[in-house]
Amino acid sequence: MNLKPGDLIFVHDTNIWNMVSNVIMICETDKLRGKGKVPYHVALVCDQHYLIEATWGGGVRLMPIDHYLRKSFLVWYKRLKEGVIPAEQLQVWARQHIGKPYDKWQIFGIAWRSVLRIIPPIYYWLKKHTSLVDSKKKFICSEFVMKAYLDLADINLYPTASLSNITPHDLNRSPLLVEIV
């Protein structure tokens, strides 16, 4: 596969014991409605051998691209339909963020907002007020990817979601991306 810097790697974990994966799957169930794959994780291709990601256990880190090619993962790739993120800028930007912590509370915030959709006034209040979360010191995976595109190319991959409310599934549905085969 000819991956380029800035391409996105989407991951669906088939391991039922992955807690973060299960929380995200539950939160995204109402969006899915039986269509397509639901990713629990998204990462950015940094170069031919490495991706950069924000993970529960490691925060922002570099990983070999083949890390997600193990058996329990379903993996697919997407890239911008038009335009690119300059490789050198991406690598510099990515390295500046290595070591920043994962925003564990943000995952639970997304989960609570999903549960509270049945009570619209509370849901919309939470959505409005939790989007004020500082996204410079801690990240979840999708927030990190969206921030990279915003900072480096001024591209909002999913305009209807705020930075702190974005999920891997939202990015997977972005009309600005096309799947790479």
Side-chain angles (χ1 to χ4, degrees):
M1 173 140 327
N2 184 23
L3 295 175
K4 298 177 182 177
D7 287 349
L8 280 64
I9 297 177
F10 291 91
V11 182
H12 173 89
D13 190 352
T14 58
N15 178 352
I16 63 168
W17 301 108
N18 184 320
M19 181 187 73
V20 175
S21 176
N22 290 327
V23 167
I24 291 172
M25 293 305 166
I26 291 166
C27 295
E28 298 297 336
T29 299
D30 68 317
K31 295 179 187 176
L32 182 60
R33 295 192 181 104
K35 298 178 183 174
K37 305 168 271 198
V38 178
Y40 88 94
H41 184 62
V42 62
L44 271 173
V45 172
C46 205
D47 61 33
Q48 286 295 322
H49 305 287
Y50 288 93
L51 56 84
I52 186 154
E53 63 182 351
T55 65
W56 183 278
V60 177
R61 65 184 183 176
L62 281 174
M63 285 296 289
I65 288 176
D66 63 0
H67 172 75
Y68 288 108
L69 300 180
R70 297 187 319 216
K71 249 189 207 178
S72 69
F73 297 114
L74 172 61
V75 178
W76 62 100
Y77 310 90
K78 291 193 173 186
R79 76 170 43 127
L80 281 176
K81 286 181 185 175
E82 297 176 8
V84 295
I85 290 185
E88 301 80 28
Q89 284 181 291
L90 173 61
Q91 290 167 4
V92 169
W93 185 89
R95 291 183 199 294
Q96 290 171 348
H97 290 82
I98 290 174
K100 289 192 177 177
Y102 190 79
D103 194 348
K104 295 175 182 172
W105 288 108
Q106 191 64 21
I107 288 293
F108 294 110
I110 288 170
W112 274 111
R113 284 191 301 273
S114 294
V115 168
L116 292 173
R117 284 183 183 155
I118 58 172
I119 311 169
I122 294 174
Y123 169 72
Y124 289 111
W125 184 89
L126 274 173
K127 188 170 182 175
K128 178 180 178 184
H129 289 84
T130 56
S131 65
L132 302 175
V133 173
D134 178 77
S135 295
K136 295 177 185 159
K137 297 179 183 174
K138 295 179 180 180
F139 296 98
I140 62 171
C141 63
S142 45
E143 180 182 37
F144 181 75
V145 167
M146 191 155 143
K147 183 162 177 46
Y149 271 84
L150 285 167
D151 286 358
L152 295 170
D154 198 29
I155 295 172
N156 187 343
L157 292 174
Y158 202 77
T160 60
S162 71
L163 187 61
S164 63
N165 289 329
I166 195 79
T167 66
H169 186 53
D170 292 332
L171 291 178
N172 187 45
R173 297 180 303 155
S174 172
L176 302 178
L177 299 172
V178 49
E179 192 158 350
I180 306 166
V181 255

